[in-house]
Amino acid sequence: MEVPAGLTGRKEPAAAALPSMSQPIPVQITVVNAQDLKTLKSNVLVTLVRVEYNGAVLGDSSKTDVLPDGTAEYDFSTSFECSPDGPNCLDVLVQKPLLLTVLEVRPKEKKKPEKITPLGQAVVDLLPLLQGVRSLKVFAPLYAVPASPSVSLHPEATAGLEVTVSTKELLLSATQFSSGNLLSITLEAAYSVPEAFTPDAQQNYMACLQIPAAGEKELPLLFKNGILKADGEKEPLPRPKNWPFGPILAPAALNIPDSFIVGGPYEDEDGELTKSEDKEFRLQAESTKRIVWDTEMRCFLDAAAVAVLQTRIAECRYWPVELCRMSVASGGKGKASKLDKTKIQYSIFRDRRSQLSLAKEGVGTSPATKTAPSMAHKEEKDSSAMQYSEAGTFLVMEIKLDRPLVPKRLREELVRRVKELIPPRPALPPRTEGAKKVVEDYHKRVTSVAVAILREYHELFGKQLPDQGVMDHETMEEQKRQLNYELNTSGKYFAFKEQLKYSVVKIVREKYLKTTAFETKEQLQAFLSELYVYLVDHMHIALNKLLSGEDVSPAPPPNTTRKQLLLFAREAEANKDLKLASLFYTQRIARDQRDIQSWLDYGAFCLLYEDATKALECFQQALCLDPQHIQSLLLCGIVAVKLQRYEEAEIFFEDACCLEPSSIIAWTLSGLFYEMQNSYIQAERNFREAKKLLRAQLEEERRILAAAEGEGKKPSSPSTDPEKIPDGSADKPPEVMKDVTSKEEATAVQEAPEAPAPQPPPCTIFMKTVEFLMKVNAVRFVHKALAHELLSLQGGPTCAYYLALAWTYMLQEDFPRCEKCLCEAVGIDPLNPNVWAQKGHLCYLQKDFDNAKECYERVISFVEDAVDMHFVYLRLGSIYLEEKEYGRAKHIYLLACDNSASCLTWLGVGIACYRLEEMLEAEDALSEANALNNTNAEVWGYLALICLQGGRQLEAEQCYKYTVKLGLQNDALLREIRAAQHRFGFGDPSL
């Protein structure tokens, strides 16, 4: 974390104290023995041990001989008192360890007295005494004290002291410790320090900050003895953290065991100077003049102090830190100043000089008061602040808590809350057909086969007109024989029989409930006889309905897939036929009620065009099917925000992040939500986590790409999953219309040849999230994400940014703003097919068909396809039909059929072929359209025209009945059908 230097302290409101003790509690220390002393010095004979705490000597042991194996038995005990008002209060206990020094005693020589020299030092951390431990036994490693060069030390010393520390009662109860928090602050270094700072033994560099802790006043944490280092290589990583001691005899004993400064990417830090443009400055500053502490200090906060800290953070998120340069010998002036954004107006060093024991160290030469400062004082502070600002001084710190200030909910609790938010729903019924439904299906199949046989008959013998008289019996038998021959030899008889077989099987199961084998042949024969009579009777019922023309039954249900139904729904959305779109979405769900994606797609449709409550029901149904489905959780959260159910939304977002902690989109969406709630700290935390995940993902993809290139292999195409888009994915904009059909949904995919492309802009967490949000129509969240994207971009908005923004305006039918965004996108990337596709859609919706055609033709001319080529083809084809360019229309619609076939694409082909008088091709195309969707009235209308042109009156009348029944809205087509009926003399023109 970087904290700018020169910050001042804050006022001293009352802060909660640590739990007070009624009586001082003795802390008993026993040094049992020393081991392997000869690894420190081979000829050591007699030693003693000295125990110090908080700068005071607690006592020395008696002189003890060192045994040949290097051990020395001390059994020396001493103690100090821990009390809130004494020098060794809990705040001291939590951050300062015991210091143990082993001293070598040399015997008297002639007239010289015995000589005592330090041999090694060890430290013991007393923190466990605050964590519910009354007694601890440790083996503290001894670090050698450097001696004269003539004395040789073993390079790998293994000496140590066996020490026990105990108290008669707990210093803190388990409840007191669990309700509090342990704060650790590591000050690493100050970089880019002012030029006035020079290496000088008479200068001491200190930093100070204060936190709510013991007593009525805040606790100052003072980092002393910073080392000013000149230019050179920066400090290694990892490197150990140091105890907050002054210089000691064994420098290695300053290192805190198993505690290291590990560094990491600048982007993972929480302060300033974390952007890519700051990297060069940071690298240079770390290898030039700097002040190094590498010291960790700790403080225990009780429950009340934790609450104060939370309040302070809510009031002002900037923590004041002061940097001070003092002259130890001459009593020079401390360099401390204020920084406005901390909302603090005075100096810790000056106002708390006596508490920090700075008077004897020469900090400040005149007392400071809390009255208005003098002009000279103010000028001094201002000049001090200026030198830091001009130098660009910054501190690197680590602030760590044992547990979060805001406790994180457990996964189990989140799961329980999510279940509570979703109302209980009845179990989905088993997919049984029912007798009535299967009989109706049999009627439809019989009707379909009869129509097909009649078509075969007409192709063989033509149509029998009313004025041609009645056909004699022999001719009818001959035609029957020839028809049977044709059906059998061509295989069509077998095909018709197969069409009926499945419906017959369902009748056996649903009507007669026969699902097991018959026990005897007689039973089987009796059942077959009964079944035959039943099937023949219902065959006659179906044929009579067909031939009488009464109650025209619909054709058999089309054999479409869920992917095709999704395409049809999006086509209906594009044509603003929302009722039909809703029908296709619900049909898709009906095909498989356990398909989660079907519920999510329908919910996204409802979110945009119907109501949020219905959308929430769909998303909750998806969540019922899979409580661990991340997209369902996120969508429930999005809709809960729209419905202003903010507590529910928080549960959904938090559960998604907990369930899938590697999801970039989950963390980003959660951050956007917290920002909407003005919880900016939580929002930034989630954004940082998302950015960290994205960097790791991009780094891994670069590594894989480099490995593939190193092996001479062409890397595979990156996934289009929104969670797996590689670096540069922002060059490929998200879907620019909700009605876009992705390549996965298409029935055929065209691979465009490779072409050189401009260097793509960097991928960001916000554009990745925008891609997901656009697919689910979360317009409000899209705007929030795009606002962040605009702020985070260094080179200005990208083409993808403008495309996404234009999409939101197009949904809102704000065409002027949409056009403005697309003009910006064209200026950035004029060769991007998605830009021209969306511009074409805009012109098409504005009924500016000339410009729409120009844009669509430009899209088709590109080597690379646009994302929504299906709708480019459909709309361009419709423009060609209106302009009577039937050849071009046919070509474009055939491209659409090849890309992703639908009823509308084949209808376009059929219309173009009909206008070109290519009747056979027209009928084939319209038949394909009918097979995909037999409820399109326009398809039936053009089939009626083709039948009239071919003289097939009966079929024409049947097609026309379907046209009327389905409610054809194309008045021009209706008039054309009636004119054709009148022209060819078939039937009543009023039909």
Side-chain angles (χ1 to χ4, degrees):
M1 171 181 179
E2 298 97 24
V3 183
L7 309 187
T8 60
R10 56 161 59 101
K11 294 182 180 179
E12 299 177 357
L18 281 172
S20 59
M21 297 168 285
S22 58
Q23 297 293 330
I25 299 178
V27 178
Q28 188 76 22
I29 301 128
T30 301
V31 183
V32 181
N33 57 48
Q35 301 176 16
D36 294 336
L37 288 177
K38 292 185 181 293
T39 62
L40 293 175
K41 187 176 180 181
S42 59
N43 59 352
V44 62
L45 297 176
V46 180
T47 62
L48 61 88
V49 65
R50 176 172 295 163
V51 181
E52 301 174 64
Y53 189 70
N54 195 18
V57 177
L58 302 182
D60 292 352
S61 71
S62 59
K63 301 172 187 177
T64 304
D65 293 335
V66 179
L67 300 177
D69 62 356
T71 61
E73 299 292 335
Y74 298 114
D75 291 327
F76 169 68
S77 296
T78 184
S79 66
F80 67 86
E81 289 187 339
C82 179
S83 63
D85 301 324
N88 301 322
C89 60
L90 291 177
D91 293 308
V92 173
L93 200 72
V94 78
Q95 63 178 292
K96 292 188 177 181
L98 281 173
L99 178 61
L100 309 170
T101 306
V102 173
L103 303 169
E104 179 185 11
V105 182
R106 295 182 182 179
K108 298 179 180 180
E109 296 180 2
K110 297 180 180 180
K111 297 181 179 181
K112 296 181 180 180
E114 65 179 5
K115 185 177 181 181
I116 297 178
T117 57
L119 184 64
Q121 289 185 310
V123 294
V124 175
D125 190 358
L126 301 181
L127 179 63
L129 296 179
L130 272 72
Q131 297 173 316
V133 174
R134 287 180 51 192
S135 177
L136 63 148
K137 182 177 182 179
V138 296
F139 181 79
L142 272 169
Y143 298 96
V145 174
S148 61
S150 60
V151 179
S152 60
L153 298 176
H154 292 283
E156 296 182 359
T158 58
L161 292 173
E162 184 179 329
V163 183
T164 61
V165 183
S166 62
T167 59
K168 291 184 178 180
E169 56 184 285
L170 291 174
L171 299 182
L172 286 177
S173 68
T175 302
Q176 289 172 330
F177 184 80
S178 62
S179 64
N181 213 325
L182 182 65
L183 173 68
S184 302
I185 299 178
T186 301
L187 177 59
E188 298 181 18
Y191 295 105
S192 192
V193 297
E195 290 294 330
F197 288 17
T198 57
D200 188 343
Q202 301 303 315
Q203 300 289 329
N204 188 0
Y205 297 93
M206 304 165 58
C208 185
L209 69 159
Q210 55 185 5
I211 55 175
E216 295 181 355
K217 296 183 179 180
E218 296 183 336
L219 172 70
L221 295 184
L222 182 63
F223 295 85
K224 302 180 181 179
N225 306 312
I227 302 172
L228 181 64
K229 294 188 176 182
D231 297 356
E233 295 183 1
K234 67 178 185 178
E235 280 65 41
L237 290 172
R239 60 183 187 274
K241 297 179 181 179
N242 298 327
W243 290 107
F245 280 155
I248 62 175
L249 299 174
L254 279 175
N255 298 344
I256 302 175
D258 302 321
S259 187
F260 298 93
I261 296 170
V262 296
Y266 300 144
E267 297 87 349
D268 289 346
E269 297 172 347
D270 299 333
E272 300 169 282
L273 303 177
T274 58
K275 298 179 180 178
S276 56
E277 60 263 29
D278 303 317
K279 187 173 184 179
E280 184 177 350
F281 168 69
R282 293 281 302 270
L283 289 172
Q284 183 179 3
E286 289 176 0
S287 58
T288 55
K289 187 165 57 176
R290 67 249 185 225
I291 304 171
V292 179
W293 285 272
D294 287 349
T295 299
E296 179 182 85
M297 299 190 75
R298 302 182 302 211
C299 178
F300 180 77
L301 308 176
D302 69 356
V306 169
V308 171
L309 180 59
Q310 286 182 277
T311 303
R312 297 282 176 81
I313 293 174
E315 292 173 351
C316 181
R317 296 172 53 195
Y318 294 96
W319 197 330
V321 180
E322 285 195 64
L323 177 62
C324 175
R325 175 175 64 116
M326 70 178 186
S327 176
V328 177
S330 62
K333 297 178 181 179
K335 302 296 183 180
S337 62
K338 69 184 181 68
L339 186 57
D340 291 338
K341 61 184 177 182
T342 65
K343 303 179 182 179
I344 303 300
Q345 301 297 322
Y346 74 103
S347 166
I348 304 174
F349 280 119
R350 289 193 177 90
D351 290 5
R352 305 192 68 169
R353 179 181 55 183
S354 59
Q355 286 179 268
L356 300 178
S357 302
L358 299 181
K360 62 182 180 180
E361 299 187 43
V363 176
T365 56
S366 61
T369 65
K370 295 187 181 180
T371 59
S374 66
M375 184 62 67
H377 190 181
K378 187 181 297 183
E379 290 175 356
E380 174 191 324
K381 292 170 70 177
D382 292 342
S383 63
S384 175
M386 186 63 68
Q387 67 173 344
Y388 291 122
S389 178
E390 291 176 350
T393 305
F394 63 94
L395 302 179
V396 177
M397 307 177 67
E398 179 191 60
I399 301 176
K400 180 175 63 176
L401 289 163
D402 256 15
R403 59 181 68 92
L405 286 177
V406 180
K408 185 178 180 182
R409 279 185 279 243
L410 298 176
R411 169 66 181 152
E412 293 76 12
E413 180 189 354
L414 290 170
V415 170
R416 178 181 59 80
R417 293 291 303 276
V418 168
K419 287 183 178 179
E420 292 173 357
L421 295 175
I422 300 177
R425 299 179 184 275
L428 294 174
R431 297 184 61 187
T432 56
E433 297 287 350
K436 182 178 179 181
K437 189 175 184 304
V438 298
V439 172
E440 290 175 352
D441 180 68
Y442 174 72
H443 286 187
K444 295 173 185 178
R445 296 294 175 181
V446 169
T447 302
S448 175
V449 171
V451 171
I453 294 173
L454 184 61
R455 185 182 296 116
E456 293 293 327
Y457 175 85
H458 288 160
E459 288 181 2
L460 285 175
F461 309 110
K463 297 183 71 71
Q464 181 71 22
L465 299 179
D467 56 354
Q468 291 180 344
V470 180
M471 187 181 301
D472 62 281
H473 179 73
E474 292 182 1
T475 304
M476 289 179 62
E477 288 297 319
E478 178 62 21
Q479 289 182 353
K480 180 181 177 181
R481 186 188 63 79
Q482 293 183 29
L483 177 61
N484 286 335
Y485 177 82
E486 178 63 27
L487 293 177
N488 280 283
T489 56
S490 64
K492 293 178 182 179
Y493 176 82
F494 178 81
F496 293 150
K497 187 171 67 174
E498 287 296 309
Q499 288 184 32
L500 291 171
K501 183 168 69 175
Y502 184 61
S503 60
V504 172
V505 169
K506 289 197 294 184
I507 285 177
V508 171
R509 291 177 177 174
E510 299 293 334
K511 176 69 178 175
Y512 288 90
L513 303 178
K514 294 293 184 180
T515 57
T516 59
F518 291 92
E519 296 179 358
T520 64
K521 290 184 178 181
E522 290 74 17
Q523 290 179 347
L524 173 60
Q525 191 60 45
F527 173 76
L528 291 178
S529 299
E530 181 183 356
L531 177 63
Y532 177 80
V533 172
Y534 182 87
L535 293 176
V536 170
D537 287 344
H538 280 273
M539 178 188 69
H540 290 153
I541 293 172
L543 292 176
N544 288 335
K545 285 183 180 180
L546 173 64
L547 297 176
S548 65
E550 299 173 1
D551 187 21
V552 178
S553 60
N559 186 24
T560 52
T561 65
R562 290 198 303 271
K563 289 183 178 180
Q564 288 173 319
L565 287 173
L566 178 62
L567 177 59
F568 302 163
R570 289 177 172 172
E571 287 177 334
E573 283 185 61
N575 295 329
K576 299 301 179 183
D577 191 344
L578 303 183
K579 184 177 180 181
L580 180 61
S582 180
L583 176 63
F584 282 127
Y585 278 120
T586 53
Q587 284 182 356
R588 191 163 173 252
I589 292 174
R591 292 288 180 89
D592 185 359
Q593 296 189 34
R594 289 174 173 78
D595 180 57
I596 292 177
Q597 193 59 48
S598 297
W599 286 105
L600 297 186
D601 291 334
Y602 186 40
F605 169 79
C606 295
L607 182 62
L608 183 62
Y609 294 109
E610 296 189 2
D611 63 276
T613 303
K614 193 170 183 179
L616 183 59
E617 292 175 0
C618 293
F619 298 147
Q620 288 180 340
Q621 183 61 49
L623 202 55
C624 288
L625 294 172
D626 183 1
Q628 298 186 351
H629 194 258
I630 297 299
Q631 287 189 9
S632 301
L633 282 169
L634 295 177
L635 290 171
C636 285
I638 289 171
V639 182
V641 171
K642 187 175 179 67
L643 295 172
Q644 298 183 356
R645 302 178 186 175
Y646 301 117
E647 292 184 5
E648 295 182 15
E650 184 176 12
I651 294 294
F652 287 124
F653 286 127
E654 191 174 344
D655 190 29
C657 293
C658 181
L659 178 64
E660 191 61 58
S662 63
S663 171
I664 297 170
I665 292 176
W667 285 109
T668 307
L669 276 178
S670 182
L672 293 174
F673 163 75
Y674 282 117
E675 187 178 64
M676 293 177 184
Q677 302 303 300
N678 298 324
S679 300
Y680 298 110
I681 296 176
Q682 188 70 23
E684 289 185 12
R685 172 187 175 272
N686 290 11
F687 291 150
R688 283 198 309 272
E689 186 64 27
K691 291 175 182 177
K692 181 179 178 181
L693 291 169
L694 179 61
R695 283 193 297 273
Q697 177 182 302
L698 298 182
E699 196 60 38
E700 177 65 14
E701 288 171 352
R702 290 190 191 101
R703 186 190 64 78
I704 294 173
L705 194 64
E709 291 175 351
E711 296 175 1
K713 297 178 181 178
K714 181 180 177 181
S716 58
S717 300
S719 170
T720 56
D721 188 286
E723 289 286 341
K724 301 178 182 177
I725 297 178
D727 192 25
S729 63
D731 182 54
K732 295 183 178 179
E735 293 181 345
V736 293
M737 294 283 289
K738 176 58 185 79
D739 53 14
V740 169
T741 303
S742 64
K743 294 296 182 183
E744 294 91 329
E745 299 290 351
T747 56
V749 178
Q750 290 180 330
E751 295 185 359
E754 295 182 1
Q759 184 66 25
C763 180
T764 67
I765 61 170
F766 300 109
M767 287 310 297
K768 289 172 71 67
T769 306
V770 163
E771 294 181 40
F772 168 75
L773 292 172
M774 291 175 68
K775 293 177 180 178
V776 297
N777 297 324
V779 178
R780 182 184 178 189
F781 275 86
V782 169
H783 277 290
K784 294 289 292 185
L786 289 177
H788 273 281
E789 176 72 6
L790 188 61
L791 293 174
S792 66
L793 292 171
Q794 301 168 21
T798 62
C799 181
Y801 167 85
Y802 281 118
L803 275 174
L805 191 57
W807 172 84
T808 64
Y809 290 139
M810 189 174 292
L811 285 182
Q812 298 165 352
E813 296 187 355
D814 189 345
F815 296 143
R817 286 188 178 181
C818 181
E819 184 174 6
K820 185 177 179 181
C821 290
L822 292 176
C823 289
E824 295 287 349
V826 168
I828 294 172
D829 189 359
L831 299 180
N832 191 324
N834 295 290
V835 176
W836 292 103
Q838 192 164 355
K839 191 172 177 63
H841 296 325
L842 175 63
C843 295
Y844 188 89
L845 293 176
Q846 292 177 309
K847 301 190 183 304
D848 182 2
F849 298 121
D850 290 338
N851 283 326
K853 181 174 73 170
E854 181 181 344
C855 293
Y856 290 146
E857 288 175 342
R858 188 188 294 262
V859 174
I860 293 174
S861 69
F862 287 121
V863 175
E864 182 182 358
D865 282 346
V867 175
D868 61 340
M869 286 303 295
H870 181 79
F871 294 93
V872 171
Y873 290 140
L874 277 182
R875 288 174 170 172
L876 180 57
S878 69
I879 293 172
Y880 284 148
L881 287 179
E882 284 293 323
E883 296 180 350
K884 300 183 179 180
E885 298 184 49
Y886 302 124
R888 285 186 169 186
K890 176 183 176 182
H891 173 69
I892 291 299
Y893 278 120
L894 284 172
L895 288 177
C897 292
D898 186 50
N899 182 66
S900 49
S902 71
C903 175
L904 297 185
T905 60
W906 282 114
L907 172 60
V909 175
I911 295 173
C913 291
Y914 176 79
R915 299 305 178 192
L916 292 170
E917 298 184 356
E918 298 172 352
M919 296 303 172
L920 289 178
E921 291 186 42
E923 185 170 5
D924 288 341
L926 292 170
S927 297
E928 289 290 338
N930 214 9
L932 291 172
N933 179 14
N934 59 11
T935 64
N936 188 299
E938 202 163 343
V939 173
W940 288 108
Y942 276 100
L943 282 172
L945 282 177
I946 291 174
C947 292
L948 288 172
Q949 292 279 0
R952 294 145 54 188
Q953 181 184 10
L954 181 58
E955 292 179 62
E957 289 178 356
Q958 287 295 319
C959 292
Y960 182 71
K961 287 179 181 178
Y962 281 118
T963 302
V964 174
K965 184 176 182 178
L966 294 170
L968 179 63
Q969 301 298 315
N970 189 335
D971 293 336
L973 180 57
L974 277 173
R975 289 193 297 269
E976 188 175 1
I977 295 172
R978 287 167 179 165
Q981 287 177 321
H982 181 72
R983 184 169 63 253
F984 293 108
F986 293 153
D988 184 357
S990 64
L991 288 177

